[in-house]
Amino acid sequence: QTRNQAEAAARAKAEASANVKAASDLKAKVAADLKVAADLKVAAEAKVAAEAKVNADTAARAKSEASARAMAAAEGKAKVAADLKVAAEGKLKAAVETESKAE
């Protein structure tokens, strides 16, 4: 009977040891899974930040290009107006000269 008790105790001890190892392995696996999840979160946040910066840069570039186009258009209109002014002054001068000759 003592031998049976000793064998049962040895079995219980081995089973308890196996349970402790299984629990330890599970804890290590959970810790590894948490680390992977944290790394994925950091990577996702970095990607979102990078995409936001690209979007902001693109918007700034588009705004700058639109401003440049608007400025070029305004300069074009100013040149046309200046040309019209020169032409009008020329016509006025010619009209004055014609009037002088008519007198």
Side-chain angles (χ1 to χ4, degrees), residues 42-94:
V42 167
E45 288 170 348
K47 184 177 180 191
V48 167
E51 287 174 356
K53 181 174 183 342
V54 167
N55 289 343
D57 291 349
T58 301
R61 193 166 41 253
K63 185 176 179 184
S64 172
E65 289 169 2
S67 294
R69 280 194 298 274
M71 188 173 289
E75 288 169 353
K77 287 179 182 175
K79 171 135 180 34
V80 168
D83 291 347
L84 288 173
K85 181 182 173 196
V86 168
E89 287 170 349
K91 285 183 180 177
L92 178 62
K93 184 177 176 191

Side-chain angles (χ1 to χ4, degrees), residues 15-53:
E15 192 176 311
S17 178
N19 288 344
V20 167
K21 172 147 179 23
S24 176
D25 290 350
L26 182 60
K27 182 180 173 188
K29 183 183 181 319
V30 168
D33 289 349
L34 285 174
K35 168 99 173 69
V36 168
D39 291 348
L40 287 174
K41 180 182 177 207
V42 167
E45 288 170 348
K47 184 177 180 191
V48 167
E51 287 174 356
K53 181 174 183 342

Side-chain angles (χ1 to χ4, degrees), residues 89-102:
E89 287 170 349
K91 285 183 180 177
L92 178 62
K93 184 177 176 191
V96 168
E97 288 172 0
T98 303
E99 188 180 7
S100 300
K101 288 180 186 172

